[in-house]
Amino acid sequence: MGGPEPTGNPSPSELPRGPSHPGVYLFKAGDGSVLYIGKARNLRKRVTDHLRLQTDKDGHITSRSSDVEFLPTRNEREALLLEAHLIRLYQPRYNVIFRDDKSYPYLALTEGEQVPRVYFVRRPKREAGTTLFGPYLSAREARSLVRLLAESFQVRRCRTLPKRACLYYHLKTCSAPCIGAITPEQYRAQVAKARQLLRGRVKEVLPDLERDMSEAAEAQEFERAAVLRDAIRGLLDLEARQHVVDLGRDRTDAVEIALPADASSLTAAVGVLRVREGSIAGGEPHLLEMTPDVESPSTELLATFLLQYYGDLPDPPGQVLLPDHVDGLEEALEALGEARGIEFVRARAGRPRELVTMAGRMARAHLDAHARPAAVEPVLRALMGLLELPRLPRHIEGVDISLIQGTSAVGSLVVFKNAVPSKDDYRRFRIRTVEGTNDFAMVHEVVLRRFRRLVAEEEKLPDLLLIDGGAGQLASARKALEELHLFEEVPLASLAKQREEVYRPDRPEPLAPDPNSPPMLLLRHVRDESHRFAITYHRKRRRMALRDEVDRLQGLRGRGGPSGD
């Protein structure tokens, strides 16, 4: 007998529903791995929604789950933070995930110790009495700063205090507090200067270093003077690499998101630009993965990133600048503001907006360099769900009209197969039966001619016909299909550019999904490609017409015709 093989998992109706409290839930596979993590105001209601299989993703999750684990919390805000932490910890398959797991380097200053030290660390843990600085872009950058601190302020680097002076003391890069070569008060003063430098206050420490270098030279301590000279040069180079801004904050980050331009990609990127003491101290791009049925990519991805990144960051900034175009982040921002003491500010104008734009450019460059095309089928399935199509739209055709002042009107038809342009199948049409600027009638002519030929040659009909335009263009295409008795066989839609609204023949009102969702990116790609192809052909026709007119006028002049006087 045919049929699906048993998975050994309980049916959705047998999975637990959970309590009617706020909290976090985890769908788990039979081997204990976590498939999906979510939060809810009411755990029972939310999990019941999943089990009703309201989306394709729900079906995938529940069919692979053998249990649901519940973690009730005191309130929704606590659930939001816990969800972000668990997603980062388990990296579930069906969640929007902050994929970038690079361990960025930090520097730790152990101010709680009797004799503080500075050391390099990755994946730092919060420890009482230890202040973390970073993250830095590279280990080289962090280690070079440790060396500068040793050369400038002679702060110790050893893990444990030795019983006698070590090599660093003889190299003049440690003040040897272990043997009492410096008083505790003097050493603390040096540590305070090191802290200033770690916070980016280069200009404040340079005068002291220059004075120390001069004093060392006058005392004929030439080795120490040379070390300080090299340290000052290093600090000047560090300052020169920083771009000065004025934000009125000691520690600020600027954050922006870049969504995929390719409809087949499910990878996005977030750029984080770090500003310390008014200077750009570096940037970090991060990749994120999204699911094909995510409804508001900008909101969901950015909220996920902020919660997971700043929820776990050992030493978060006091202020984070955010893009003004992303809405719906209030819940995440309130939770992080309360838990981590971060102030989130919309960058609407001026220098803050410039910094966010810079972070966006960094994210876009990183995405273009590292994004990988996703499996096409999830995007097609999401599009099928959005438009309620009878089958997967593996074969999509797009139609557009191009005319300027009613001259040289042309139509274009592009073909996408499995979400990829099939340029060998593109077709161009000279408008034959329509005079003037009747765009609706031109759409009717192009669709009629295209499908009349497909029927005559017994070619396969597309899974979706997309018209560039609104309700009027859609109605014209529908009329052409009805004349050929194909309306029931060819799914039809139109996409209006002004508001990116989708029109369907069976709906009185247009759909207005997020224009950056994966299925909408595919529709926009088809629409824009048909427009590009039509414009290109129209320009060619106008050049040909202009050339013919020039030839005609030259011929008249050659025969003694009008001279243009």
Side-chain angles (χ1 to χ4, degrees):
M1 296 290 291
E5 296 181 6
T7 62
N9 293 334
S11 67
S13 62
E14 296 174 318
L15 290 171
R17 262 55 172 186
S20 299
H21 298 294
V24 173
Y25 56 94
L26 298 82
F27 278 94
K28 291 188 170 184
D31 60 0
S33 61
V34 178
L35 298 171
Y36 180 77
I37 297 173
K39 67 177 186 308
R41 178 185 303 174
N42 185 315
L43 287 168
R44 177 181 291 274
K45 184 177 183 301
R46 184 68 188 93
V47 170
T48 300
D49 288 341
H50 277 295
L51 300 180
R52 287 174 179 163
L53 310 182
Q54 295 186 346
T55 67
D56 290 334
K57 185 169 75 173
D58 288 339
H60 289 299
I61 294 170
T62 56
S63 65
R64 290 164 172 78
S65 298
S66 63
D67 192 17
V68 185
E69 181 179 324
F70 300 96
L71 299 172
T73 58
R74 291 177 297 177
N75 49 52
E76 289 181 80
R77 186 165 296 170
E78 189 175 286
L80 188 70
L81 293 170
L82 179 59
E83 179 201 32
H85 173 73
L86 293 176
I87 291 174
R88 182 70 181 247
L89 180 64
Y90 290 110
Q91 300 277 296
R93 175 180 178 183
Y94 292 103
N95 279 95
V96 172
I97 296 176
F98 171 31
R99 291 283 188 189
D100 198 346
D101 61 353
K102 290 187 291 186
S103 56
Y104 286 95
Y106 289 78
L107 295 184
L109 178 61
T110 60
E111 296 180 276
E113 293 184 353
Q114 186 176 359
V115 183
R117 69 186 179 104
V118 176
Y119 64 93
F120 174 95
V121 61
R122 291 185 185 270
R123 294 191 177 91
K125 298 179 181 178
R126 296 191 187 96
E127 297 179 1
T130 298
T131 304
L132 293 169
F133 300 90
Y136 298 96
L137 289 182
S138 66
R140 176 182 295 181
E141 179 185 2
R143 293 186 193 280
S144 66
L145 194 50
V146 171
R147 189 190 73 252
L148 279 174
L149 291 171
E151 293 175 350
S152 305
F153 310 112
Q154 297 180 301
V155 177
R156 78 178 181 96
R157 289 181 275 180
C158 48
R159 290 178 179 271
T160 57
L161 284 172
K163 295 182 180 178
R164 57 183 180 180
C166 64
L167 179 62
Y168 288 129
Y169 174 67
H170 297 292
L171 293 174
K172 308 298 182 182
T173 60
C174 179
S175 53
C178 54
I179 62 170
I182 186 174
T183 67
E185 292 75 17
Q186 291 173 324
Y187 186 76
R188 284 283 176 181
Q190 294 296 87
V191 169
K193 293 177 182 178
R195 188 192 310 113
Q196 282 185 306
L197 180 58
L198 286 169
R199 293 195 178 278
R201 298 172 180 172
V202 177
K203 291 182 178 179
E204 294 182 21
V205 300
L206 275 175
D208 290 341
L209 290 177
E210 290 169 346
R211 185 183 63 250
D212 292 346
M213 180 182 68
S214 299
E215 291 176 355
E218 291 175 5
Q220 297 187 352
E221 296 177 1
F222 298 117
E223 290 182 10
R224 177 60 183 158
V227 169
L228 287 170
R229 178 202 61 203
D230 293 341
I232 290 170
R233 286 176 179 172
L235 292 177
L236 289 172
D237 288 342
L238 177 65
E239 185 183 29
R241 291 197 302 270
Q242 295 175 335
H243 179 65
V244 176
V245 297
D246 183 15
L247 294 174
R249 278 274 179 169
D250 289 348
R251 295 164 52 78
T252 297
D253 284 357
V255 176
E256 176 62 293
I257 186 167
L259 296 174
D262 183 355
S264 66
S265 176
L266 295 177
T267 305
V270 170
V272 179
L273 199 67
R274 299 197 315 276
V275 182
R276 301 294 180 263
E277 294 296 326
S279 300
I280 294 177
E284 305 166 33
H286 303 273
L287 293 178
L288 297 90
E289 299 293 334
M290 59 179 165
T291 57
D293 55 353
V294 60
E295 294 182 358
S296 300
S298 297
T299 299
E300 294 186 35
L301 291 172
L302 194 53
T304 296
F305 175 82
L306 294 172
L307 286 164
Q308 294 181 19
Y309 182 75
Y310 289 107
D312 289 339
L313 196 64
D315 187 24
Q319 182 184 73
V320 175
L321 303 175
L322 295 175
D324 192 37
H325 64 86
V326 182
D327 297 321
L329 299 174
E330 291 76 14
E331 187 179 14
L333 301 186
E334 288 177 9
L336 284 169
E338 183 176 294
R340 303 306 312 277
I342 303 173
E343 178 189 8
F344 292 92
V345 178
R346 297 286 187 175
R348 293 188 167 91
R351 189 57 183 160
R353 185 171 180 177
E354 291 178 15
L355 291 169
V356 168
T357 301
M358 193 182 305
R361 287 198 295 267
M362 175 175 58
R364 172 59 60 191
H366 190 65
L367 179 61
D368 292 345
H370 296 90
R372 300 179 302 276
V376 170
E377 186 147 334
V379 178
L380 297 179
R381 195 167 295 281
L383 179 57
M384 183 174 72
L386 174 67
L387 300 183
E388 299 177 352
L389 302 176
R391 55 188 178 271
L392 278 180
R394 296 189 182 279
H395 178 172
I396 303 174
E397 297 192 359
V399 169
D400 186 29
I401 302 297
S402 179
L403 73 160
I404 298 177
Q405 296 178 347
T407 63
S408 305
V410 299
S412 71
L413 181 131
V414 299
V415 177
F416 278 57
K417 293 181 177 179
N418 287 319
V420 177
S422 178
K423 295 192 176 183
D424 290 342
D425 296 313
Y426 285 15
R427 295 292 181 268
R428 297 182 292 197
F429 299 84
R430 293 186 185 185
I431 300 301
R432 300 171 180 168
T433 63
V434 182
E435 297 292 338
T437 58
N438 191 337
D439 191 55
F440 300 155
M442 293 178 190
V443 170
H444 177 270
E445 177 184 329
V446 170
V447 173
L448 193 67
R449 288 167 58 186
R450 168 62 174 172
F451 283 87
R452 183 182 289 152
R453 180 160 188 165
L454 288 182
V455 171
E457 296 179 358
E458 297 183 353
E459 294 286 340
K460 181 180 179 296
L461 298 175
D463 301 313
L464 174 64
L465 175 61
L466 182 69
I467 309 298
D468 183 0
Q473 286 83 358
L474 183 74
S476 297
R478 174 175 181 165
K479 180 181 177 183
L481 292 176
E482 287 176 337
E483 290 174 16
L484 298 171
H485 306 289
L486 294 178
F487 178 64
E488 299 296 332
E489 298 182 47
V490 180
L492 180 64
S494 68
L495 180 58
K497 194 163 192 175
Q498 187 172 7
R499 296 183 179 178
E500 302 293 6
E501 293 176 329
V502 181
Y503 291 82
R504 291 296 316 279
D506 54 345
R507 286 180 173 268
E509 298 295 329
L511 301 172
D514 189 306
N516 293 310
S517 64
M520 281 296 291
L521 286 175
L522 176 55
L523 289 182
R524 290 168 61 191
H525 191 187
V526 175
R527 188 269 315 279
D528 294 345
E529 178 67 359
S530 66
H531 184 69
R532 180 200 65 79
F533 192 52
I535 287 289
T536 301
Y537 184 42
H538 185 252
R539 287 172 179 166
K540 180 180 179 181
R541 291 265 295 135
R542 293 196 72 192
R543 283 196 301 268
M544 292 171 60
L546 180 61
R547 186 178 59 201
D548 291 344
E549 180 65 14
V550 170
D551 291 344
R552 187 184 69 81
L553 292 175
Q554 287 177 342
L556 287 174
R557 290 193 182 100
R559 294 194 299 271
S563 64
D565 293 338

